[in-house]
Amino acid sequence: MSLPPGARLLRRHLRGRGPAMRRLAAWSVLESLPAFASGFLLAQAIDRGFLAGEPLVGLWWLAALAAVYALGAVGTRQIYPWLAATVEPLRDSLVADVAAAALNRMADQAGGTAGAGVSQLTEQVEAVRALLGTALRNVRQLLAAGLAALLGLTLLSPLLGLVIFLPVALALTLFAAFLGVQVRRYRAVVRHAERIGESATAIVQGVRDVVACAAEDRAARTVAEAIDAQAEALRSFARSRLVRLPVLALGVHLPLLVLLALAPYLTEHGQLTAGQVAGGISYLITGLQPGIILLVDAGGTLLLSLAVILGRLAEICTGSDRTSPATPKSVATSYDIEADHVTFAYAPEAEPVLADLSLHIPEGTHLAVVGPSGTGKSTLANVLTGLVQPQRGGVTLGKVPLPGLDTAHLRSAITLIPQESYVFAGTLHENLTYLRPHATTAQVDEAVDAMGLTPTMSRLGGYDADIPPGGGTLSHGERQLITLARAYLSAAPVIILDEATSHLHPAAEARAEQALAGREGTLIVIAHRISSAQRAHQVLLLDGSSPLLGTHHTLLDLSPLYAELVGHWQR
C-alpha cells in the first residue's frame, strides 16, 4: 500500500534518524510500563493483601507499583534527548527543501508564490516541528498508555476487557469515519492562509502603484475577502469537530459507567473480584480514558494538522522537483553571450521593455549598459542570466540556449550582483566565500585587497567577525564592497553588475570595476555613472526604440541621447 505524500515526505526527512528513533521507542516502552502494570498490581494488593488480611503483602504489591512508576520516570527522563535528536534536524532539512521549492517556483515565474513561500517557511515548517515534537512527546505517551491499559485490562480479566473494548471500538470507528471530512476542511484552512500571504505580499510589493492609482479600498477588499474566506473555513472545520462529543461519550464515559453498573453483579456472582474492579477502574482512569481524550482533542487537531500541513508541503516540494522528462542538460564550453531578437514584456498587454534586441558579447568583453530609467537595463540583466524568459527570441551562452543549460552550471557561470546588497547572518569569511566555499586564505586576501575592503575587515575584527541579520553596523557601501568581493572571488567567467556600486564613492567604484575587469572573463556593468561607460570596451545604449552599441567616443558622435546623458552625469 502506497503511503500518502505527506507520510513519504516525513519519512524522507526522518531518514538517517533511525538510531535516535529506535532509542526513543525503547525508552517509550519503559515509560509505558506503569500504565500496563498498575491495574494488575493494584488488584493483587487488594485481593491478596488487604482483603485477605495480609496488609504487609498488600504493601509489598504497592511497593512494586511504586518501583514500576520509578522505572517509568526514568524512561520519561531519557526520552527528551532522543526526541530533540529526531525533531530538530527534521526542521532544518524541511526548511532547506521548502526554500528550494519556493525559489524554484519563483524562478519558473509561478505567479503569486512569494507570499505562499513565506507562509510555508515561517508558519508551516515551524508548525511541523512543533506538532511533531508535541506528538512524539505527549500523544505518543498517552496513546501508548491507552494501548498498554487496554492490554493490561484484558490480561487482568478477559470478560472485563471485552465489556470495555466494545464501546471503545465503536467510539474509534465513529472518529475514523469523520476524519476524512476534518482533513478536507482543515486543508481548506491552510490553503486560505496561503492565499492571505499571497494577496498581502502582492499588495505590499506594489504599494506605490496602489496609492498612485487610488486603489487602497480595492486592495483592502482583496485582503479582506481572503481573510473572510479563511474565517469561514475555520468555522466549517470547527463544526466538524462536534463529532468529539459522541466519541467521548462512547469511549470515555460509557465504559466507566458500564463497569460501575456491572461491578456489584459481577462480584456477587464471582465473575470479578473487588481487586479486579479497582484495577479495572485504575486502567480506565489513568490509561485508557486520557489516551482517548487526547486522541479526540489533541489528536483531532494536532495529528490532523500535522497530516494536512505535511501533505501541503509534499505537494509543494514534489511539484518543484518536476522537470521535463526529456532533454539532457548541457554545459557551455565557451562564454560568448548572444541575444537573438529578444522581446520581453512583463504582461501580455504591456509594451515590451526589450523589443527585438540582438546583441553579441564576446568572451572577455567589458560592456557598460546605459540609458534612461525604464528602458530595460535591469531587465536585460535578468534576461542574460536566465532569470526571466523572453516571449520571443532567445539568449545563448557559448552557442547553447540558456534553457538548455544545466541549472547549476548556468548559476556558476554567470554571477549577477544586484543593487540590493545581500549580506547574510554569519561570519565575514562566510559572506565573502559564499560563491566559493573552499577558497584559500590567499585568495580571500586578494579579493579583499582588490575591492578595498581591508579597512572594513579591520574595523569588524577580522574574517571571523560575526555579521548579524541585516548587516548590523555595516554601511550600504560596505555591504556592496562585500558583495563585490564575493563576485571577484567566485570562479564565474561572467559577472554582471546591476548598479551594484551605487553606494560607493567614485574612487571606490573605479577601483572595484577595474579589479573585476582585470580578472579573466566577461564584465557587464549596468552603469551608475558616466565613468563606468568611459572605462568599458563597449557601451550599449538602451533608449526603448533602437539600441546602439559602440565605444564611449563613437556614441558621443552618433547619439544625441547619449551626449545628453553624459552631460547630465557630468553636471
Side-chain angles (χ1 to χ4, degrees):
M1 180 178 176
S2 176
L3 289 173
R8 291 199 299 272
L9 178 71
L10 182 62
R11 184 178 65 179
R12 175 158 61 88
H13 284 280
L14 287 175
R15 193 173 296 137
R17 308 268 73 80
M21 295 181 69
R22 284 192 290 271
R23 287 175 173 83
L24 180 63
W27 289 113
S28 297
V29 172
L30 183 62
E31 184 188 37
S32 62
L33 189 59
F36 174 72
S38 60
F40 174 80
L41 295 175
L42 180 62
Q44 299 304 311
I46 293 173
D47 290 338
R48 295 188 180 187
F50 301 113
L51 291 182
E54 299 285 346
L56 290 178
V57 174
L59 290 174
W60 276 109
W61 283 107
L62 291 181
L65 178 59
V68 167
Y69 271 101
L71 288 175
V74 171
T76 300
R77 183 178 184 277
Q78 295 297 325
I79 274 171
Y80 285 93
W82 303 112
L83 182 65
T86 300
V87 173
E88 295 306 322
L90 167 77
R91 180 262 187 97
D92 295 341
S93 61
L94 261 181
V95 165
D97 205 358
V98 174
L103 289 172
N104 286 338
R105 293 202 314 279
M106 285 186 281
D108 291 338
Q109 294 86 51
T113 58
V118 170
S119 171
Q120 285 140 14
L121 277 175
T122 59
E123 296 177 17
Q124 296 179 17
V125 172
E126 183 59 29
V128 168
R129 186 198 68 81
L131 292 171
L132 184 62
T134 303
L136 290 176
R137 184 177 66 250
N138 296 333
V139 178
R140 167 202 54 77
Q141 180 184 21
L142 290 183
L143 288 183
L147 292 174
L150 191 58
L151 179 60
L153 189 64
T154 303
L155 293 177
L156 178 68
S157 170
L159 176 62
L160 195 57
L162 179 63
V163 169
I164 300 302
F165 176 76
L166 290 176
V168 170
L170 183 59
L172 295 178
T173 301
L174 180 63
F175 178 75
F178 281 85
L179 195 57
V181 174
Q182 294 184 51
V183 167
R184 288 193 295 274
R185 293 187 180 182
Y186 190 75
R187 186 180 292 121
V189 171
V190 171
R191 290 185 172 172
H192 281 300
E194 291 179 6
R195 292 188 183 108
I196 291 173
E198 292 170 8
S199 57
T201 299
I203 290 170
V204 169
Q205 289 177 342
V207 66
R208 287 186 298 178
D209 294 334
V210 170
V211 174
C213 298
E216 294 95 331
D217 291 342
R218 179 177 176 181
R221 283 195 304 271
T222 300
V223 177
E225 288 169 1
I227 293 172
D228 290 343
Q230 193 201 24
E232 178 56 36
L234 281 168
R235 287 191 288 268
S236 179
F237 173 64
R239 288 192 292 270
S240 72
R241 296 275 295 132
L242 291 176
V243 72
R244 66 184 294 275
L245 299 177
V247 170
L248 290 176
L250 286 171
V252 173
H253 307 304
L254 185 59
L256 183 59
L257 291 174
V258 168
L259 176 57
L260 293 175
L262 293 179
Y265 174 83
L266 294 174
T267 53
E268 183 181 344
H269 289 78
Q271 300 293 324
L272 289 177
T273 66
Q276 288 175 323
V277 172
I281 293 174
S282 174
Y283 277 130
L284 285 177
I285 293 176
T286 64
L288 191 60
Q289 288 188 2
I292 293 177
I293 290 173
L294 184 71
L295 175 65
V296 174
D297 284 347
T301 52
L302 188 150
L303 295 177
L304 178 69
S305 301
L306 181 61
V308 170
I309 293 173
L310 278 171
R312 180 59 180 148
L313 292 179
E315 292 175 11
I316 300 303
C317 294
T318 303
S320 72
D321 290 337
R322 288 180 194 142
T323 53
S324 121
T327 334
K329 297 292 185 177
S330 304
V331 296
T333 56
S334 65
Y335 297 99
D336 286 6
I337 299 174
E338 189 159 2
D340 183 29
H341 298 285
V342 166
T343 296
F344 179 85
Y346 284 100
E349 66 280 1
E351 285 292 323
V353 181
L354 301 174
D356 199 37
L357 173 66
S358 293
L359 176 66
H360 178 225
I361 307 173
E363 183 177 352
T365 298
H366 179 186
L367 173 71
V369 182
V370 301
S373 297
T375 53
K377 299 186 297 296
S378 292
T379 301
L380 176 62
N382 291 333
V383 169
L384 294 180
T385 54
L387 294 178
V388 298
Q389 298 297 321
Q391 284 81 17
R392 290 193 299 274
V395 178
T396 61
L397 179 67
K399 303 298 183 184
V400 180
L402 295 190
L405 284 169
D406 175 76
T407 302
H409 173 73
L410 175 60
R411 298 294 167 242
S412 63
I414 303 178
T415 292
L416 171 65
I417 305 297
Q419 184 175 3
E420 299 82 4
S421 306
Y422 293 111
V423 178
F424 310 110
T427 65
L428 176 61
H429 187 272
E430 288 170 337
N431 268 275
L432 293 171
T433 59
Y434 181 75
L435 299 178
R436 195 173 183 179
H438 303 296
T440 65
T441 302
Q443 291 169 330
V444 178
D445 288 341
E446 179 188 347
V448 167
D449 180 65
M451 291 299 118
L453 192 59
T454 303
T456 300
M457 181 188 67
S458 301
R459 181 178 70 81
L460 293 175
Y463 292 135
D464 293 330
D466 284 321
I467 296 178
T473 60
L474 290 171
S475 68
H476 289 294
E478 288 174 323
R479 296 176 200 185
Q480 286 193 330
L481 285 176
I482 290 174
T483 60
L484 290 167
R486 182 189 299 156
Y488 181 92
L489 191 58
S490 77
V494 179
I495 291 179
I496 300 178
L497 306 181
D498 186 3
E499 297 198 11
T501 59
S502 57
H503 293 289
L504 301 180
H505 57 75
E509 177 186 65
R511 177 173 181 167
E513 284 186 12
Q514 287 168 353
L516 289 168
R519 67 193 290 278
E520 292 184 3
T522 301
L523 176 64
I524 301 173
V525 179
I526 308 300
H528 178 67
R529 297 183 178 95
I530 185 58
S531 53
S532 295
Q534 291 171 329
R535 285 188 292 268
H537 301 153
Q538 294 282 304
V539 180
L540 174 66
L541 171 65
L542 295 178
D543 64 357
S545 56
S546 52
L548 287 177
L549 180 67
T551 66
H552 169 70
H553 296 292
T554 57
L555 288 181
L556 278 175
D557 295 334
L558 292 174
S559 172
L561 174 60
Y562 185 75
E564 182 182 340
L565 286 173
V566 171
H568 171 75
W569 272 328
Q570 290 179 336
R571 280 201 294 269

